[in-house]
Amino acid sequence: MRSLITRARIHIPCLASLVILAAMANCRSSAETNKEKATHAGKISPPQVYVVNYPLKYFAARMAGDAAEVVFPPPPDEDPAFWKPDVATIAAFQQADLILRNGASYARWADYATLPASKVVDTSSGFRDRYIAMEDAVQHAHGPNGEHAPAGTAFTTWLDPTLAARQVEAIRVCLVTLLPEKTAELNRNCENLISDLHALDARLQRIVKGHHERPLLTSAPVYQYFARRYQLNLKSMHWDPDESPSDSQWSELDGLLEVHPAKWMIWEAPPQGETEEGLHRRGVSCIVFYPCGNSPPDGDYLQTMKDNIERLQAAFAAP
Amino acid sequence: MTDTLYIAWRYLSYYKVKTAILLVSITFILFLPLALRVMVTACETQLMARAASTPLVVGAKGSSLDLGIDTLYFESKPLERIPMSQAQRVQDTGLAQAIPLHTRFRARERTIVGTTLEYFDFRGLSISRGRQLARLGDCVLGAASAEQLELGPGDHLVSTPENLFDLAGTYPLKMRVVGVLEPAHTPDDGAVFVDYRTAWIIAGLGHGHENLAKVEDPDVLLGKHGDTLRANAKLLQYNEITVENIGSFHFHGDTSEFPLTAVIAVPHDQKSSDLLRGRYLSSEETCQILRPIDVIRDLTGTIFRVEGILNGVFGLLAFATLLLVILVMMLSLRLRQREMQTMFKLGCGRSMIAGLVAAEMAIIVLVSTCLTVALTALTAQYVDGILRVLVL
């Protein structure tokens, strides 16, 4: 009995000390964890804005600056209009604070994806009445009385600087809601951007003035809004810059040139040398006018458009 | 006093069966009304909690009870539909966030709830396994659905045709299970969640098929009228949405007229709620807006009046039990007459003997009370689980 009491007298204080030390260690680690959390809390990341094409990225980034992180996920070598994101990318879109869509049936993948409706903004919804239906589009229906499925619309709305300006305004409204403390800065940046777009528009108006009837060709039907804005006499082919046209395509062009004697063909990317030679033999010269759906290799949207206009001048300067 | 209690205790311990019967009877009659109250209170709390967390619901004019029950618990007879434009109308007011719901269809007796991602945030639902909805054709299962259907991420679930004899109707849709939710202990656990547009596809309002411009079988086409190709029923429509064919899925008609069963409106504040409700007061309005808490409060008030009837029955039962206990005691005393006489001869006074009998009763009542309290506490502790199994 005495030995038991003695052992207890020894062990109990030791155990108590261990318990106290353990409690102190826990408190310290908790304090350190809280301190780390507090430090991390001070570095809250800016809101994320996900976009479906490069012009929207440019517009949003130009207005928001460092106040928002503008994310444009499509790879640089893919056309964002037809890009299909994987599930992980869709999940990233779902976590965004704001999702900007171009509208006009651009990026059809978003029609099949489940995105948070409260965060998705169609930047061209304000001018749906200005959409251009695709030429030669075939609709379909089921049964003798079934309703039609929509055939699709042209979607390169940003090639009309005045429509691009309306998209910029729509983005501004969203950004002001997302970043109310930056309202003044957003408004200022928006004004500057719209001013630049109007300058592009004015310059293009001067270039094409008096030459609206000049027949022009395009390699692909992506310049509808551009053509409408500047009342250009455009006819579209369906040629791929990375492929040589087939014999039937050359025949089709020859037939078209008889009724539409164009001297210039506008390309969305530089054509192959063989294609260019074939066109030269037919008296048609090539102009590259990047639609800017994806990030340009050099510069930004505004610089690319200025460069496009420089090259386009040749088509209207020559008699 | 201690001696009296000791003798009473020894007596009760000796006659175990009789003591047990008396304990069970008295405990039972005390416990029943208390347990009923606990369960009714918990049931009411759970029902009201679900309703209280759902601020406003917009639906077709008609039974507000059916609309409320279907929106909260996904269990009701088929509702009149409202167009998708009603969800947009709520959203456009700027007064509330609109969450569309489509609950018409079922899959293996589970309600398919077509909605948006906002529903999950609204209800505080999070993914336990797999991932969230990402594409048309995806479905996310509630925890109970996944357990009972024995399905998980990577499996498939086919929607149940509404009418097995509708041979010309739409095909059931084979959905891809992509995620399972954490248990929420709400009706969401028993549901199957899809994008509301997937629900429209199940309804046959959208589908996927091969490009009519490239179809080779001439019998598939009724003809070409202008720039419109018309197909007949021979055209095979996909009954599963895959990565390969998802691009072919489309809707015919104006999607703003496509049906929903209800719209949950989450107002920004009380003033917005009042303003929004005011917009549906017109007699020409085709939709109604209701507060689920009002509907459920009326419902529970009606249902829980039954509690009063049951309490009355328990009261009668208690009275009958009391009479029986008294009868048992009286019979017991008669049988113990010789024992009483022996105690009297040993020197116990009449008051002592009466005290013994009273002590026996007191011990039985005290132990019964303790058992009742313990059982009631246990019931209160596990009432949620009991309700989930038996009621909800």
Side-chain angles (χ1 to χ4, degrees):
Chain A
M1 181 62 106
R2 190 172 292 176
S3 64
L4 271 173
I5 294 171
T6 307
R7 267 186 266 170
R9 281 182 180 164
I10 294 169
H11 289 299
I12 287 172
C14 290
L15 282 171
S17 302
L18 280 171
V19 167
I20 291 167
L21 282 170
M24 285 172 64
N26 191 41
C27 287
R28 187 172 301 164
S29 68
S30 295
E32 284 172 351
T33 305
N34 289 339
K35 188 180 173 186
E36 284 168 7
K37 282 181 185 172
T39 306
H40 180 72
K43 297 178 184 173
I44 295 172
S45 53
Q48 284 194 323
V49 179
Y50 270 63
V51 300
V52 298
N53 65 19
Y54 172 70
L56 294 180
K57 180 188 176 185
Y58 175 79
F59 299 155
R62 175 117 176 233
M63 280 191 279
D66 294 333
E69 181 188 355
V70 183
V71 183
F72 175 51
D77 56 345
E78 276 202 52
D79 187 345
F82 306 106
W83 169 68
K84 289 181 183 175
D86 58 17
V87 168
T89 309
I90 293 175
F93 267 89
Q94 290 174 348
Q95 298 305 314
D97 296 284
L98 178 64
I99 300 168
L100 297 177
R101 292 192 64 180
N102 188 78
S105 68
Y106 188 91
R108 288 290 309 280
W109 68 264
D111 293 336
Y112 315 128
T114 302
L115 299 174
S118 57
K119 298 178 186 174
V120 175
V121 174
D122 178 347
T123 58
S124 67
S125 61
F127 53 85
R128 283 205 179 109
D129 58 331
R130 304 275 292 147
Y131 286 170
I132 298 173
M134 291 294 286
E135 282 183 9
D136 304 324
V138 177
Q139 298 182 79
H140 79 275
H142 299 267
N145 302 312
E147 294 214 48
H148 299 86
T153 57
F155 48 62
T156 50
T157 53
W158 62 89
L159 289 183
D160 176 349
T162 60
L163 296 182
R166 293 180 71 170
Q167 289 182 273
V168 165
E169 177 57 32
I171 296 170
R172 183 195 68 82
V173 170
C174 300
L175 290 177
V176 165
T177 304
L178 191 63
L179 301 161
E181 71 280 7
K182 301 282 184 182
T183 299
E185 186 182 332
L186 290 167
N187 289 341
R188 194 169 48 246
N189 293 341
C190 175
E191 273 180 39
N192 292 337
L193 177 53
I194 289 178
S195 175
D196 289 340
L197 291 171
H198 284 159
L200 287 178
D201 180 57
R203 192 171 167 204
L204 279 162
Q205 294 278 22
R206 284 195 299 274
I207 289 169
V208 304
K209 188 178 179 182
H211 303 291
H212 301 291
E213 297 302 317
R214 179 165 297 192
L216 295 169
L217 293 170
T218 63
S219 62
V222 295
Y223 299 98
Q224 298 92 336
Y225 294 96
F226 184 75
R228 184 177 67 182
R229 174 62 186 160
Y230 304 106
Q231 299 164 27
L232 299 179
N233 184 11
L234 281 184
K235 294 287 183 191
S236 294
M237 308 300 292
H238 290 265
W239 288 13
D240 189 329
D242 298 326
E243 292 177 6
S244 297
S246 63
D247 291 341
S248 62
Q249 286 177 311
W250 282 120
S251 300
E252 185 188 352
L253 176 65
D254 291 336
L256 183 60
L257 286 172
E258 286 177 13
V259 296
H260 188 76
K263 301 294 181 194
W264 296 92
M265 187 170 190
I266 301 172
W267 285 83
E268 51 187 329
Q272 288 192 338
E274 192 182 321
T275 307
E276 208 165 348
E277 281 171 21
L279 287 168
H280 278 144
R281 283 198 293 275
R282 289 164 172 81
V284 179
S285 301
C286 297
I287 296 174
V288 176
F289 192 108
Y290 292 103
C292 260
N294 208 327
S295 303
D298 302 302
D300 56 29
Y301 166 82
L302 197 64
Q303 188 57 51
T304 303
M305 288 298 286
K306 286 177 180 174
D307 294 341
N308 284 339
I309 293 170
E310 282 290 334
R311 289 187 289 271
L312 190 67
Q313 260 187 310
F316 294 94
Chain B
M1 181 68 170
T2 316
D3 301 329
T4 308
L5 287 172
Y6 176 75
I7 294 172
W9 174 256
R10 295 298 300 180
Y11 176 81
L12 291 172
S13 302
Y14 185 79
Y15 291 102
K16 292 184 179 54
V17 175
K18 186 189 97 174
T19 305
I21 291 171
L22 284 172
L23 277 176
V24 167
S25 305
I26 296 172
T27 303
F28 194 68
I29 209 65
L30 290 176
F31 171 66
L32 272 181
L34 290 174
L36 182 65
R37 181 90 285 269
V38 166
M39 291 183 66
V40 162
T41 304
C43 195
E44 190 173 3
T45 303
Q46 287 202 12
L47 287 173
M48 295 298 282
R50 180 82 168 167
S53 67
T54 310
L56 295 170
V57 171
V58 176
K61 269 192 171 173
S63 169
S64 57
L65 180 62
D66 284 344
L67 177 61
I69 294 291
D70 186 75
T71 304
L72 297 177
Y73 306 110
F74 313 133
E75 290 185 30
S76 175
K77 56 186 179 184
L79 292 176
E80 283 287 319
R81 264 74 92 178
I82 58 173
M84 180 67 186
S85 56
Q86 288 295 331
Q88 194 58 49
R89 174 188 174 189
V90 170
Q91 195 70 39
D92 288 344
T93 62
L95 298 170
Q97 181 185 60
I99 302 175
L101 286 183
H102 188 294
T103 56
R104 174 181 160 195
F105 297 110
R106 294 189 170 262
R108 293 171 64 180
E109 298 179 12
R110 305 282 155 177
T111 301
I112 297 175
V113 180
T115 185
T116 59
L117 293 177
E118 280 77 4
Y119 181 86
F120 298 91
D121 294 334
F122 170 65
R123 291 293 191 203
L125 302 173
S126 57
I127 296 289
S128 167
R129 290 183 283 145
R131 59 169 173 82
Q132 182 53 282
L133 302 174
R135 297 187 178 122
L136 298 184
D138 287 351
C139 70
V140 164
L141 305 181
S145 292
E147 186 182 334
Q148 284 153 18
L149 298 177
E150 295 179 348
L151 294 175
D155 295 327
H156 290 86
L157 178 63
V158 181
S159 63
T160 304
E162 275 191 314
N163 186 344
L164 291 174
F165 301 102
D166 184 10
L167 298 178
T170 56
Y171 299 122
L173 183 69
K174 185 178 176 184
M175 299 176 289
R176 195 171 40 249
V177 179
V178 299
V180 175
L181 296 171
E182 290 279 358
H185 308 302
T186 65
D188 296 318
D189 288 342
V192 175
F193 294 96
V194 299
D195 188 306
Y196 66 91
R197 293 168 297 168
T198 300
W200 287 346
I201 290 172
I202 296 172
L205 297 167
H207 52 222
H209 52 74
E210 56 182 326
N211 190 340
L212 286 184
K214 296 176 185 173
V215 85
E216 293 175 1
D217 183 354
D219 292 336
V220 166
L221 292 176
L222 280 176
K224 185 172 181 180
H225 308 278
D227 58 357
T228 303
L229 289 170
R230 287 199 176 271
N232 60 28
K234 190 180 176 186
L235 178 67
L236 182 64
Q237 297 176 11
Y238 305 130
N239 64 349
E240 182 182 359
I241 304 173
T242 64
V243 173
E244 292 76 29
N245 69 20
I246 194 170
S248 72
F249 275 79
H250 54 277
F251 297 96
H252 287 262
D254 183 2
T255 54
S256 68
E257 295 303 314
F258 283 9
L260 300 172
T261 50
V263 175
I264 295 176
V266 186
H268 304 311
D269 48 41
Q270 185 58 46
K271 183 181 173 185
S272 299
S273 172
D274 295 337
L275 287 171
L276 186 61
R277 291 172 71 197
R279 297 194 181 202
Y280 288 83
L281 291 176
S282 166
S283 58
E284 294 164 358
E285 186 59 59
T286 55
C287 291
Q288 62 171 319
I289 189 167
L290 57 86
R291 294 199 325 153
I293 195 167
D294 294 336
V295 172
I296 299 302
R297 189 175 287 135
D298 291 342
L299 177 67
T300 54
T302 304
I303 291 174
F304 296 145
R305 266 178 228 135
V306 175
E307 183 193 4
I309 297 171
L310 287 174
N311 282 337
V313 170
F314 291 146
L316 288 173
L317 206 60
F319 182 67
T321 305
L322 182 63
L323 290 177
L324 281 170
V325 167
I326 292 171
L327 182 64
V328 165
M329 294 307 294
M330 287 171 67
L331 289 172
S332 173
L333 283 173
R334 179 168 288 205
L335 287 171
R336 292 167 72 188
Q337 221 168 10
R338 282 188 65 185
E339 179 191 332
M340 301 295 171
Q341 285 173 355
T342 306
M343 288 167 66
F344 184 72
K345 287 174 182 173
L346 286 174
C348 288
R350 288 186 191 276
S351 60
M352 174 81 170
I353 295 170
L356 272 172
V357 174
E360 289 166 17
M361 277 311 304
I363 291 172
I364 288 174
V365 169
L366 184 66
V367 172
S368 296
T369 305
C370 292
L371 284 173
T372 302
V373 169
L375 285 173
T376 306
L378 265 177
T379 305
Q381 177 82 10
Y382 295 105
V383 67
D384 290 342
I386 295 168
L387 284 176
R388 273 197 295 280
V389 170
L390 295 178
V391 179
L392 302 173

